[in-house]
C-alpha cells in the first residue's frame, strides 16, 4: 500500500506545510486534509506516494515524531472494503460505532412505538364494539328505539313512507307501485341545443331510464341523488372529451401558415380576420407575451397564395410583411410532440443535441461485451507503460489510451483500456476497482463503444463511395497492422528524381536507352542500391539501430512512425508542420534523399492520433505511407540515455550450450534423416481419449519400440483464457512407416495407458506430413555456410532478361 494516514496533526497546519514535510521521503501524488461539514479540521490527513517503498520509509521516519509540538501517528491505509480496517470512532464518520448505535436505537424505538400503538387501538375498538352490543341488548324490546332505528336505516325502500306500513299492507304497496310506474311523457316540441328536431314520444332520455332503474332499487334518498348527479357528470365529461378530441384533431392538421411581421401592438384577432376578407383563415395565433408578429393558417395552398397577395399592405396604418412559415411550423410541432419532423434529416434543429446524447447512452455496453474500461483518479506522474504493465496482468491488452493536456503537457488523470478478450476486462474490473495505484484509489467504469466514424471502418455496402475511395479506406485500415513493407523501399520514380538531381541531368536522360548502354531497369536498380547505402550510413550517424528493422520482432514502437516512399527531395520544413499539429515532436530524422523519414512523438496518444489521421492522406502528389517503426529503433532516448544494453542479447546465447548438451540432440536427429522412404498406405492410427497433458514426445516414446514412426500429431486449439498458448483436444494421430507395425499396434496395444488414460486405437485414412523432417531440413539449410562461388537470387521479375541480371551483378 503506497497510501498512508497521518493522525493527531496540529489544528492550524496547512497543506503546503505537509507537502514540504512529507515530500522529503518521496514523490507525493495525493494529499487530502479531512474536515467536518462545518469546515472544522479533523486533525488527520491521507498522503499518497508513487511507490510502496517511499510510503514505508515515510512511516518509519515520521511515526511518533512531532510536528508543531504535536506527536503524530503515521500508519499504512487499509484497502477499500478490507476487513482489517479498524472501526471508526469519530461521530463525523458514517461507519463509526457511535452513529451505528444511534441508528439501531432509532430503529428499535420506531418498532416499539409502532407495536404498542397498534395493540392499544385494537383494544379500544374491541371495547367500543362490546359497549354497542350491550346498549343494543338493553333496548332491544323498546318500540320507540326500534322506530328510531327504522327512521335512520339506509337500506329502507325509497317510496315506502314507513317500513311498518308497507309490511302490514303489502297489497296496497303493490297497487301504489303500479300507479307509480313512469309513463312516456311527450316532448315539448321545441328544438334542442344542437339544432336537431325534437326526439318524439317513442324515445326516452337516458336520465329518465336510469331514474326508473334506481326507483326499483331499495336505496336511500341521498344515494339516489348522488347517482343522478354522477350520471349528469358522466354526460358532461363525455361532452368535454369530444370537444377536446375535436381540438386535438384541429391542432394535428398540417396548415399552410403565414407569419406576419411588424404587426401593430394592440391588434386583435377580429382585425386580422377582417384584413384577409373575403378569405377565411382557418386559424389566427397572436402571441400573448411577445408582440409585433402573428401566425395565420390556411387549409389549402391556394388560399395561402391568395393571402400572400396582401403582402406589404397596411394594418392600422402600419405596413406588414409576410413570410412562409409552413415548414418551420411542422418542425415546431414535431419538437413539442417529441417525434422527428417529416422530411427532415435525422439530426436537425435543437433535437440533435439530445439525439446525440441518447445514441451515446444506447451504445454504452457491458464490460463483458465491449472489453473496454474507463479509468480515472490517476496521479499526474503515471505513464502509459506503467498502466500497460498493470492491466496486462489480467490478459492481453489491445490498447491503452491516456489523453495529455496540450497546455500543461501532463496527463488529464483518466483514460481507457481495451482488452482482446472481454472476460479479461471483467476480471481486471473486479480486481482493480478501488485499489491503490501510485498513492491514489483507482476508479474504474464500463467504457463506451467507439464510433465507426472514429475507427474509419470500411462500409462496403455504401453505394455512394467509388471503388477508389473504398480501396483507400481499406488501405488506411490495414496500415494499423504491425506487418509492413520493406523499410528501405524506394519507388522507381523517386529513384529517377534523386539520380537526376545528383548527376545534374534530366530524368528523361536517365531512363533513355536509345544511346546504348545498360537498360533503364539496371540503371534504377544500381541507383537504388547506391541511395540505400547512403541512407543507411546517414541513419546510423543519427543514432538509428538498423538491425532493429531486420529482426523478426512483432513488437512495434508506440511513439516512432516511419514515413516511407515520400516524394523525392522532401524537406523537414514540409513534414514538420503536418505532424506537429498533433503534438510536439521529439525528433525527426530525414536522410538527404528525402524519401524516408522517422518521426518520434513525446506522447504515445498523440502519435496514435497522428497515425490515424495522416495514414494514406495526400502529401504533395502522393499518399503518405506510414508504418509503426520497430521497438527500440533509436539507440538512445530523447534525453540521451541508452535504450538497450548489449548484455541483454548476449545472455541467451551464452546459456544455450550450458543448458542442453549437443550429443543428445544429435542422437535424436540421427534416425530422422535415415528413414527417408515414404510410409506405406493404411499406416495411420487414430488415438482417442488422450490425456490433455500428453505431448507429442510422450506418444513417440510409447510407440517407438514397435518400429519406425513417420509422424505424430495431437489435435490442439487456442486456449480461450490465454490465446498465445494451445490446449489439447484429447485426441491425435500416429503414422508408422510399415503397415505391419500399424496392424500389430491395433491388435496388441488396444486401450494402452498413456499418462494414466486408456487410449483407444482405430484405423484412419488420414495422411500426416513429417513435420519434424521438414523442420530439420530447414534447420540444416539455415546452418550451411557459403563454401562455393554461387548465390541464390529470388523474386526476379518475370520480364527480366539474362543480360540485365548479369549487368546488375557485374
Amino acid at each position: 500500500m503506497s497510501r498512508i494516514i497521518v493522525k493527531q496533526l496540529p489544528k492550524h497546519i496547512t497543506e503546503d506545510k505537509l507537502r514540504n514535510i512529507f515530500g522529503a521521503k518521496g514523490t507525493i501524488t495525493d494529499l487530502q486534509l479531512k474536515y467536518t461539514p462545518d469546515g472544522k479540521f479533523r486533525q488527520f490527513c491521507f498522503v499518497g506516494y508513487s511507490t510502496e517503498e517511499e510510503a514505508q520509509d515515510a512511516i518509519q521516519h515520521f511515526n511518533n515524531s512531532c510536528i508543531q509540538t504535536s506527536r503524530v501517528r503515521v500508519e499504512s491505509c487499509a484497502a477499500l472494503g478490507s476487513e482489517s480496517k479498524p472501526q471508526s470512532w469519530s461521530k463525523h464518520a458514517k461507519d463509526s460505532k457511535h452513529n451505528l448505535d444511534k441508528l439501531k436505537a432509532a430503529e428499535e424505538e420506531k418498532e416499539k412505538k409502532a407495536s404498542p400503538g397498534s395493540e392499544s387501538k385494537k383494544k379500544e375498538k374491541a371495547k367500543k364494539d362490546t359497549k354497542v352490543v350491550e346498549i343494543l341488548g338493553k333496548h332491544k324490546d323498546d318500540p320507540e328505539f326500534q322506530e328510531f332505528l327504522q327512521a335512520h336505516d339506509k337500506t329502507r325502500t325509497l317510496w315506502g313512507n314507513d317500513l311498518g306500513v308497507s309490511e302490514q299492507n303489502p297489497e296496497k304497496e303493490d297497487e301504489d307501485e303500479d300507479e307509480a310506474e313512469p309513463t312516456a311523457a311527450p316532448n315539448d316540441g321545441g328544438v334542442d341545443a344542437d339544432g336537431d328536431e325534437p326526439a318524439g314520444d317513442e324515445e326516452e332520455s337516458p336520465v329518465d331510464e336510469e331514474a326508473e332503474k334506481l326507483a326499483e332499487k331499495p336505496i336511500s334518498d341521498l344515494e339516489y341523488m348522488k347517482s343522478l348527479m354522477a350520471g349528469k357528470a358522466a354526460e358532461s365529461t363525455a361532452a368535454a372529451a369530444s370537444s377536446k378530441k375535436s381540438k386535438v384533431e384541429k391542432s394535428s392538421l398540417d396548415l399552410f401558415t403565414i407569419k406576419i411581421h411588424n404587426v401593430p401592438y394592440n391588434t386583435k384577432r377580429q382585425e386580422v380576420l377582417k384584413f384577409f376578407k373575403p378569405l377565411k383563415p382557418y386559424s389566427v395565433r397572436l402571441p400573448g407575451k411577445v408582440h409585433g408578429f402573428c401566425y395565420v393558417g390556411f387549409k389549402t395552398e391556394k388560399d395561402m397564395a391568395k393571402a400572400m397577395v396582401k403582402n406589404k399592405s397596411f394594418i392600422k396604418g402600419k405596413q406588414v410583411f409576410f413570410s412562409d412559415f409552413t415548414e418551420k411550423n411542422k418542425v415546431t410541432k414535431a419538437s413539442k410532440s417529441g417525434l422527428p419532423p417529416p422530411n427532415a434529416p435525422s439530426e436537425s434543429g435543437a433535437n440533435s443535441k439530445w439525439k446525440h446524447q441518447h445514441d451515446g447512452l444506447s451504445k454504452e455496453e457491458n464490460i463483458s461485451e465491449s472489453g473496454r474500461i474507463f479509468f480515472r483518479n490517476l496521479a499526474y506522474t503515471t505513464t502509459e507503460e506503467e498502466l500497460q504493465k498493470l492491466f496486462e496482468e489480467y490478459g492481453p491488452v489491445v490498447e491503452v489510451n491516456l489523453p495529455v493536456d496540450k497546455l500543461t503537457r501532463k496527463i488529464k488523470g483518466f483514460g481507457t483500456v481495451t482488452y482482446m478478450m472481454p472476460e479479461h476486462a471483467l476480471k481486471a474490473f473486479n480486481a482493480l476497482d478501488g485499489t491503490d495505484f501510485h498513492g491514489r484509489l483507482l476508479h474504474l467504469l464500463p467504457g463506451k463503444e467507439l464510433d465507426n466514424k472514429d475507427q474509419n471502418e470500411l462500409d462496403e455496402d455504401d453505394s455512394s463511395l467509388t471503388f477508389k475511395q473504398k480501396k483507400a479506406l481499406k488501405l488506411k485500415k490495414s496500415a494499423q497492422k504491425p506487418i509492413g513493407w520493406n523499410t528501405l523501399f524506394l519507388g522507381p520514380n523517386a529513384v529517377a528524381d534523386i539520380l537526376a538531381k545528383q548527376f545534374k541531368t534530366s530524368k528523361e536522360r536517365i531512363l533513355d536507352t536509345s544511346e546504348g548502354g545498360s537498360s533503364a531497369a539496371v540503371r534504377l536498380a544500381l541507383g537504388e542500391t547506391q541511395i540505400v547505402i547512403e541512407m543507411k550510413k546517414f541513419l546510423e550517424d543519427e543514432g538509428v539501430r538498423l538491425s532493429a528493422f531486420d529482426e523478426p520482432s512483432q513488437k512495434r514502437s508506440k511513439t516512432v512512425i516511419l514515413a516511407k516512399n515520400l516524394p523525392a527531395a522532401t524537406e523537414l520544413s514540409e513534414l514538420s508542420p503536418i505532424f506537429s499539429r498533433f503534438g510536439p515532436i521529439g525528433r525527426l530524422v530525414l536522410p538527404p534523399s528525402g524519401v524516408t523519414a522517422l518521426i518520434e512523438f513525446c506522447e504515445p496518444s498523440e502519435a496514435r492520433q497522428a497515425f490515424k489521421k495522416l495514414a494514406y492522406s495526400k502529401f504533395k502528389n502522393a499518399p503518405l505511407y506510414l508504418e509503426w517503426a520497430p521497438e527500440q529503433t533509436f539507440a538512445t532516448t530523447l534525453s540521451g540515455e541508452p535504450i538497450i544494453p548489449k548484455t541483454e542479447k548476449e545472455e541467451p546465447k551464452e546459456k544455450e550450450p550450458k543448458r542442453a548438451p549437443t550429443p543428445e540432440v544429435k542422437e535424436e536427429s540421427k534416425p530422422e534423416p535415415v528413414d527417408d522412404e515414404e510410409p506405406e498406405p493404411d499406416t495411420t492410427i487414430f488415438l482417442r481419449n488422450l490425456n490433455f497433458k500428453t505431448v507429442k514426445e510422450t506418444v513417440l516414446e510409447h510407440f517407438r519400440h514397435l518400429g519406425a514412426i513417420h509422424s505424430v500429431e495431437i489435435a490442439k486449439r487456442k486456449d480461450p483464457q490465454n490465446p498465445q498458448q494451445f490446449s489439447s483436444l484429447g485426441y491425435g494421430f500416429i503414422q508408422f512407416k510399415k503397415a505391419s507395425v500399424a496392424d500389430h499396434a491395433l491388435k496388441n496395444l488396444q486401450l494402452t495407458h498413456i499418462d494414466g488414460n486408456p487410449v483407444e486405437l482405430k484405423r484412419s485414412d488420414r495422411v500426416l506430413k513429417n513435420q519434424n523432417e521438414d523442420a530439420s531440413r530447414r534447420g540444416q539449410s539455415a546452418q550451411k555456410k557459403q563454401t562455393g562461388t554461387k548465390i541464390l537470387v529470388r523474386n526476379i521479375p518475370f520480364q527480366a532478361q539474362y543480360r540485365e541480371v548479369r549487368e546488375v551483378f557485374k
Side-chain angles (χ1 to χ4, degrees), residues 737-765:
K737 293 284 186 183
K738 303 289 183 182
S740 58
V741 178
D743 295 338
H744 178 75
L746 284 168
K747 287 178 183 178
N748 301 317
L749 292 178
Q750 196 63 247
L751 298 177
T752 182
H753 283 72
I754 302 176
D755 287 341
N757 280 25
V759 179
E760 184 182 349
L761 277 62
K762 285 187 177 181
R763 196 179 294 278
S764 173
D765 296 331

Side-chain angles (χ1 to χ4, degrees), residues 32 44 49 119 230 350 555 567 617 627 763 777:
Q32 294 180 7
F44 76 93
Y49 285 95
E119 288 176 4
K555 284 191 176 181
S617 62
E627 180 187 351
R763 196 179 294 278
R777 285 175 183 173

Side-chain angles (χ1 to χ4, degrees), residues 13-61:
I13 197 159
T14 60
E15 186 178 332
D16 294 334
K17 274 192 176 181
L18 287 172
R19 280 190 181 274
N20 290 333
I21 293 168
F22 287 93
K25 287 296 172 183
T27 306
I28 294 175
T29 57
D30 187 27
L31 197 150
Q32 294 180 7
L33 277 69
K34 291 299 175 181
Y35 296 88
T36 64
D38 302 332
K40 186 181 176 183
F41 181 45
R42 295 174 62 186
Q43 293 183 275
F44 76 93
C45 73
F46 293 101
V47 183
Y49 285 95
S50 291
T51 61
E52 290 185 20
E53 291 78 11
E54 292 175 354
Q56 292 302 321
D57 289 346
I59 291 171
Q60 291 176 6
H61 185 268

